[in-house]
Amino acid sequence: MKQMMPPRLHRALSRLRHAPPPSYDDRYPRVDVFEWRPAGSAINFGDRLATVVAERVLALHGRSLDEETARDATLFTVGSVMHFAKTGDTVWGSGVNGKIPADRHAFDALDIRAVRGPLTAAFLSERGLDVPAVYGDPALLLPTLFPDRFKRHSAQPVLFVPNLHDLTLAPTLGLPFVSPLRGWNAVVEQIVGADLVLASSLHGVVIAEAFGIPARHVRLTETEPPFKYDDYARGTGRSGIDSANSVAEALEMGAHRRYPSIPRRCSRHSRTICGSESWLPPH
């Protein structure tokens, strides 16, 4: 004989069957690192360093990006990406792009811990934001964050690192080059194996100089204005970037004037990105 289901249990099961599915958009509060990516599935190595550096700094403090935090937040770090920031976001080392109209920067207030250089600081200050005089591209910390990972060696005399927009020109230059669309670690390995780095990529210059490798910015086209390169150079205590307009001119000019190494800057100058781990989220 078929056994009847108790009415109370029947009603409960009926409610479950007709209940809306659980929402998977609901999530715990956390810190997201903003990372610009080109169209499609490609990853630009310089922009990828935003997440690489943030994750490594957290790991060295026994923390993780996957942790629940007191509130949702977005961290802007490596990259010329200030125009993507929104009111309330945190900035640690990002810079203004230089080719984006001022009215595209649609924020009223930012939690600024450091910026790439004084040109970015001036742009933000003119908008009424409080900007500390703490400068530096966080990618400069790579040798400090990975002290045993990448070692300088002399594998080739010259390496060219193109900006993404110059990638199609790279094979025509007659130099060994590395694509910025390769993995960040592969690009860094190529850079540390060169005696001289020529780059239209900002982070080609940044990474080379971080590891003490002579470098020169080469402006092959007018796609990227000088702003972000000048901003970076001024953020390292220099008067600006002195760019070459061709590979031949770059080889004749040689490397940019050097600046103090990052470890020395960290120990002697507290007003740099080296002392700015205060962006770490609260437990």
Side-chain angles (χ1 to χ4, degrees):
M1 175 181 288
K2 187 175 180 180
Q3 197 170 25
M4 296 293 293
M5 182 181 297
R8 183 176 298 177
L9 179 58
H10 182 272
R11 288 194 297 272
L13 290 174
S14 178
R15 284 196 297 270
L16 285 174
R17 280 196 296 268
H18 294 92
S23 171
Y24 294 102
D25 292 332
D26 296 333
R27 60 173 198 151
Y28 58 83
R30 57 183 288 180
V31 174
D32 288 323
V33 176
F34 182 85
E35 180 185 319
W36 180 83
R37 294 196 176 185
S41 59
I43 299 176
N44 187 42
F45 98 97
D47 295 287
R48 181 59 180 162
L49 292 174
T51 301
V52 171
V53 169
E55 286 182 338
R56 185 65 171 174
V57 171
L58 284 166
L60 293 174
H61 286 76
R63 308 285 296 280
S64 166
L65 277 176
D66 292 326
E67 292 183 22
E68 181 172 340
T69 55
R71 63 179 179 84
D72 276 319
T74 301
L75 175 67
F76 282 76
T77 171
V78 179
S80 304
V81 291
M82 290 301 310
H83 54 291
F84 291 105
K86 296 180 174 60
T87 296
D89 288 341
T90 299
V91 179
W92 179 65
S94 290
V96 170
N97 187 284
K99 62 183 178 184
I100 305 299
D103 60 8
R104 287 270 305 276
H105 297 75
F107 42 75
D108 298 318
L110 296 171
D111 178 10
I112 303 174
R113 312 299 178 88
V115 292
R116 182 180 57 210
L119 299 184
T120 290
F123 177 90
L124 296 174
S125 295
E126 288 168 3
R127 298 178 65 86
L129 279 71
D130 184 19
V131 186
V134 183
Y135 304 140
D137 189 307
L140 286 168
L141 295 177
L142 227 58
T144 303
L145 297 175
F146 297 92
D148 301 315
R149 177 79 185 274
F150 304 101
K151 300 296 184 183
R152 285 188 62 179
H153 59 284
S154 184
Q156 53 194 359
V158 184
L159 177 72
F160 184 70
V161 187
N163 179 279
L164 189 58
H165 301 295
D166 296 335
L167 182 54
T168 57
L169 297 176
T172 71
L173 300 177
L175 289 177
F177 72 94
V178 60
S179 168
L181 297 180
R182 292 192 62 186
W184 71 271
N185 57 306
V187 178
V188 174
E189 284 286 4
Q190 290 282 312
I191 289 173
V192 299
D195 298 327
L196 172 66
V197 171
L198 307 181
S200 58
S201 160
L202 172 61
H203 284 96
V205 175
V206 172
I207 298 303
E209 294 193 332
F211 283 92
I213 296 165
R216 172 69 61 177
H217 173 239
V218 186
R219 192 176 185 214
L220 295 177
T221 67
E222 296 186 359
T223 304
E224 295 294 331
F227 183 95
K228 63 183 181 182
Y229 304 92
D230 274 327
D231 191 38
Y232 158 69
R234 292 172 187 268
T236 59
R238 293 171 285 190
S239 59
I241 201 80
D242 187 12
S243 304
N245 293 312
S246 68
V247 166
E249 185 179 22
L251 291 172
E252 182 178 347
M253 295 171 72
H256 293 294
R257 179 174 66 84
R258 301 289 293 278
Y259 64 94
S261 68
I262 287 298
R264 281 168 51 202
R265 289 177 67 85
C266 286
S267 61
R268 294 174 55 197
H269 304 280
S270 61
R271 303 296 283 173
T272 70
I273 51 169
C274 305
S276 300
E277 285 115 358
S278 55
W279 63 267
L280 291 169
H283 286 288

